[in-house]
Amino acid sequence: MTTTTDRGTDAYIAAFERLESAARDRAPWLAPVRKAAIACFADVGFPTIADEEWRFTSLAPLVETAFGVAEGPPRPAPTNLLRPQVLPGDGICRLVFVNGVFSPELSAAASPAGAVVQSLAEAIERHAGLVEPRLGRLVDYEDRSPAALNTALFRDGALVHVGRGRVVERPIELVFVSTGDGRPTACFPRVLIVVDEGAQATIVERYVGLGEAPTFTSTVTELIAGDGAVVDHYRIQAEPEHAFHYSLNRVQTGRSANVRSGTFTFGGRLVRNDAHATLEGEGGDCTLNGLFVTRGQQHVDSHLRVEHVAPHCDSREYYKGILDERSSGVFTGRIYVHPGAQKTDAKQTNKNLLLSREARIDTKPQLEIFADDVKCTHGATIGQIDADAVFYLRSRGIAEAAARSLLVYAFAAESLDAIQVAPLRRQMLGLLLDRLPRGELFKELTDHGAG
């Protein structure tokens, strides 16, 4: 890997030294994990476009911004942000983090029956037997130095543990707020989700931001689904368009487990979403669904890897991009079928809609198959709005801008319909319509058609 070892690392290494000094006695088992991670980052730094996995995404704007590492939330807490940014209704278990640190005053943290939902910093001390064997075990740092940086520098985050056979009826919501606090600020929240054998849960991660100063959020989620577990997992990134965002979503499934994980990206100046799922148990099922919507000069890079290790497993990847103005996107998807993973059924689909001549997408679907009794397909499309369809709608009295918006909505509808939580689906539709010309004409969809 070619990396920026000569720039952009000193401030983060200094922040690690301060964190190490402050946390030395709290979790001795975590110290070597953090040291190995910061050593990896110090060795390789941030990736550059000379690295194959980053060739379409330059991190130069990130590296050249002098971010200070947030060491706690601002006071007072930003209560004005939350009302339009969370799921409505009472009784939802919600943890809120500001600059990567748990905010009790903004949270509604009563854990559902049979589950533990709490600050990861607290869980590391109170539930070390649960956290220690799992935290960081799925993360490969070699090609993901931002994930190494997260492991070295996270101060807090969330633990979600659903006990064996338990069914959590209502979504569990994790809200991460980044604030520039008047200067460029970086934070590193961490999420560990463990859903035990036969349990069921829905988890929503939401990333939002405040302020005019640039922010850098580097987040890692590890999701472990036990045998027969059923998990719906959603990640929504709606930070301001001057934000930088990196995420690694690492999923592992047990025997006959079913995981559906969706990533929806609307904000950010430069965003990289890595998703890596491993089907470890026979009969597992995993779906990775995604939608990103860009404008201006936004850049969103989605990298997916699905590994079929056990036989008789199914996987589906459905990713869509909608790009306007001078924005750009990247999709790289790889299905990797290990020897012995017979009867694999895997499908990968990437579709992209360009709304301007200046928008750009680079897409690269891939298959690597080392078993001979499998069914694997992949494909990608890039297109523009159908002029004939626009003409048809205009001939029926619909203005051109509204006709184009209606066709964009139709393109995105499949991804939005995959959201099983109705209030969240309405919110995502609202974010989409806010970005479309004359989108207000279709606002009633958020109250009726999307419910």
Side-chain angles (χ1 to χ4, degrees), residues 73-82 96 98 103-107 177 179 210:
R75 292 289 185 264
T79 55
N80 60 309
L81 176 78
L82 288 183
V96 180
V98 181
S103 175
E105 61 267 39
L106 297 179
S107 301
V177 184
T179 70
L210 281 177

Side-chain angles (χ1 to χ4, degrees), residues 340-361:
Q342 306 293 354
K343 303 298 182 180
T344 286
D345 186 347
K347 183 177 182 179
Q348 179 187 107
T349 303
N350 173 231
K351 297 181 179 180
N352 302 281
L353 185 63
L354 304 184
L355 304 183
S356 77
R357 293 182 180 275
E358 291 79 21
R360 175 184 174 88
I361 180 74

